[in-house]
Amino acid sequence: APDIPPEGITVRSDTTEAIGALARKERHTFGAQFAEVAVDTATGEVRVRRMLGIFAAGRIVNPLSARNQLVGGMTWGISMALHEEAVRDRNTGRHYAPDLAGYHVATHADVPDIEADWVDDPDPDDPVGIKGIGEVGIVGAAAAVANAVWHATGVR
């Protein structure tokens, strides 16, 4: 292993020029997500009461599909925060439960009020103005749930 100096190693990178050189249509979609949770103080069980995601995704061509994609991603993020766990056997390195029979995921009952919307994000330099929304719904969802739990309990 390489020797690491006692003061540590610091690496800095300024991507301002590289991002500025990209055409607007190559830039990314952004979003902010918020969750309200209830935490049972006796059991530690967390329930998501409601969740909101607001996104900047260029021109939305099909609002119904876009909303479904974003809500689906947010639901997936709730699963990531509250249900998903991969435990490996220390001897074999295999998963203890390598099938979906015991794999818990969020369902409609776990998400009583979830809403996704977007802001108009036109690109004057791009006549189409479309950006991708494939995974952006999941990106901040688990963090929003974790932060809501911290805000409710003071525990990370």
Side-chain angles (χ1 to χ4, degrees):
D3 291 330
I4 297 176
E7 67 275 7
I9 298 172
T10 301
V11 177
R12 297 192 198 303
S13 178
D14 183 355
T15 60
T16 305
E17 186 177 326
I19 296 297
L22 293 174
R24 291 247 332 153
K25 65 183 175 184
E26 294 177 297
R27 295 184 184 180
H28 303 285
T29 299
F30 296 95
Q33 296 172 6
F34 309 90
E36 178 184 305
V37 301
V39 181
D40 184 314
T41 56
T43 66
E45 180 182 13
V46 176
R47 292 282 184 170
V48 176
R49 296 280 190 214
R50 60 186 176 153
M51 193 167 198
L52 169 67
I54 302 293
F55 304 92
R59 176 178 291 143
I60 301 298
V61 177
N62 186 329
L64 180 61
S65 292
R67 183 167 280 105
N68 287 336
Q69 179 73 29
L70 295 169
V71 168
M74 292 166 66
T75 304
W76 189 9
I78 291 171
S79 288
M80 182 189 301
L82 300 181
H83 302 298
E84 295 184 18
E85 181 180 30
V87 180
R88 293 186 179 270
D89 182 309
R90 295 182 83 174
N91 295 321
T92 66
R94 294 187 179 138
H95 288 285
Y96 277 118
D99 57 47
L100 294 176
Y103 193 78
H104 296 201
V105 295
T107 65
H108 186 71
D110 296 310
V111 188
D113 185 11
I114 187 166
E115 185 178 344
D117 210 341
W118 44 83
V119 295
D120 190 24
D121 184 26
D123 182 352
D125 300 325
D126 181 4
V128 179
I130 297 170
K131 296 180 185 179
I133 59 168
E135 296 288 332
V136 75
I138 193 175
V139 172
V145 172
N147 284 333
V149 169
W150 172 76
H151 188 264
T153 65
V155 177
R156 284 266 177 213

